Amino acid sequence: MKIAIVLFNLATEAGASRLLFSFAQSLKKQGNAVVIFTADYNPNCFPVLSRGLDIREIKGDIPFSSVFGSKTTFGKILGSLRLYKLAALNARRIADAMENDFDIVNCHTDFSYRVGALYKKRNPKAKFIWTMHDSPFDFNPKKGFIRNISSKIFYAVQEKIERRFFKKADIAVVIDNRNKEIAEKELGLNTRILRGGVDFESFYRPVKSKPDSKKIALLSVGSLGRYRRFEDVISATAILRKKGYDARTLLVCQDFWADKIYREEFESFIENSGIKNYIDARFEGVAEKDFMDVYRQSDVYIYATHIKICGIAPFEAMSAGLPLVVCSGSSDAEVLKDGENALFFEPLNPNQLAEKVEILMKDSSFYGKITSNGQRFVKENVSWDAYARGFIEIALGNK
């Protein structure tokens, strides 16, 4: 099959670009012709994952990534307006640049579903599939009355305007039950769940053994945001230290969204935690080539996200031989089994999180069981090849 994949921003290393490149490589390996269209491409964005792919950059007047990163409220509003205008322009240019014989047009986030809607007019036989990583109209409360109200109005107006584009999708592909419910009940879309994959062979390392001493190196990874609940990881670290453990935590918390208000709150939380010298917060993130060292230097991976969001990093950590302690409120917990291949803790409960880590530290046999079972689960169930096969089955109406 000839498949076009669209993502406006391929200049920044993030979850969406990682998924797209990994997915495209598996589609290509399975014999499909794949062309990637973008408005902003940087060859340094996952250079290994993108190697050998047909990537066509259809540039707009300014780089798509340039509208992100403002730290002021006015700058964010201005950036949103610029993004909107740029998205419309880029969608038209990309749709016009596409050949007429694509069997599938798969659009990923960033208003790229506009491309699918425009292309569908020219080639009605093409299957238009929108991969909705997370609902772009999912409003989260903001600090401050004016900011909260204005943001809520903006999201509502945006959804009304955009509906005429994303409603043209034949199928919406989502990663978890929460987004399936949003796509079906709120957006009225024909929806299928297709969970992301992991390059198991790249991340694989022999499973770790429980540390003999009371030293514990905790790790949590994700873009900086309130829903990540890094605060719970820090609080659990403090609890473990009070119990006599030499617990330290590395937070790979890239400040991707540049939320100045939350960044200041979070840094203040670390400062006042009483254990700031034992918290290493990497707001600039970690280079892709260094991630394996990060995993191997850690003893337990923690995913504290308390809302229905699916993270790929926990599965990468499991591939690398780490045990996972995961919040039961996250989407990742939907596919895992508590006490079998991961340990669950309740949302917003750092005391229980600390208890689960301590259980692992007290029993080397149980530590080994969770670690081995977790790694086996990822190998057997979470791969990009399986994701690509599932996508084709959905497109053909077989799933």
Side-chain angles (χ1 to χ4, degrees), residues 174-243:
V174 298
I175 58 176
D176 58 19
N177 290 319
R178 169 182 173 269
N179 280 291
K180 185 174 190 293
E181 186 172 343
I182 291 173
E184 289 181 338
K185 294 184 178 180
E186 298 182 22
L187 305 182
L189 297 170
N190 177 23
T191 310
R192 301 289 187 277
I193 292 179
L194 190 58
R195 299 181 188 273
V198 166
D199 186 352
F200 181 83
E201 297 302 325
S202 294
F203 285 96
Y204 170 79
R205 294 294 185 278
V207 295
K208 295 199 72 172
S209 299
K210 184 188 79 67
D212 293 330
S213 67
K214 282 206 165 188
K215 287 186 176 181
I216 307 173
L218 304 179
L219 172 65
S220 192
V221 178
S223 55
L224 187 65
R226 297 180 188 278
Y227 63 89
R228 293 291 183 186
R229 295 307 305 170
F230 290 127
E231 292 89 343
D232 294 340
V233 184
I234 294 169
S235 296
T237 306
I239 293 168
L240 288 166
R241 293 196 65 82
K242 287 181 180 179
K243 290 186 174 185

Side-chain angles (χ1 to χ4, degrees), residues 7 29 202 237 269 297 383:
L7 178 65
K29 185 168 65 175
S202 294
T237 306
F269 185 90
Q297 292 166 9
S383 73

Side-chain angles (χ1 to χ4, degrees), residues 240-257:
L240 288 166
R241 293 196 65 82
K242 287 181 180 179
K243 290 186 174 185
Y245 292 94
D246 182 10
R248 300 167 183 267
T249 291
L250 171 59
L251 303 174
V252 181
C253 50
Q254 184 177 6
D255 192 6
F256 181 78
W257 303 109

Side-chain angles (χ1 to χ4, degrees), residues 325-340:
V325 180
V326 58
C327 179
S328 59
S330 71
S331 294
D332 292 55
E334 293 175 359
V335 298
L336 297 168
K337 291 184 178 180
D338 185 24
E340 288 295 323

Side-chain angles (χ1 to χ4, degrees), residues 198-209 292 295-296 301 313-325 335-337 340-343 366-383:
V198 166
D199 186 352
F200 181 83
E201 297 302 325
S202 294
F203 285 96
Y204 170 79
R205 294 294 185 278
V207 295
K208 295 199 72 172
S209 299
M292 282 312 306
Y295 288 134
R296 295 312 292 173
Y301 188 92
F315 297 116
E316 293 175 349
M318 294 164 79
S319 302
L322 285 178
L324 172 66
V325 180
V335 298
L336 297 168
K337 291 184 178 180
E340 288 295 323
N341 47 34
L343 291 184
F366 189 62
Y367 182 100
K369 170 190 170 181
I370 294 297
T371 306
S372 297
N373 287 351
Q375 188 178 71
R376 185 180 306 112
F377 171 83
V378 176
K379 182 179 181 180
E380 295 175 355
N381 299 281
V382 189
S383 73

Side-chain angles (χ1 to χ4, degrees), residues 139 141-151 226 261 265:
F139 171 73
K142 304 294 190 294
K143 285 277 187 177
F145 178 77
I146 294 178
R147 188 181 179 209
N148 192 61
I149 291 297
S150 60
S151 181
R226 297 180 188 278
I261 294 175
E265 290 178 7

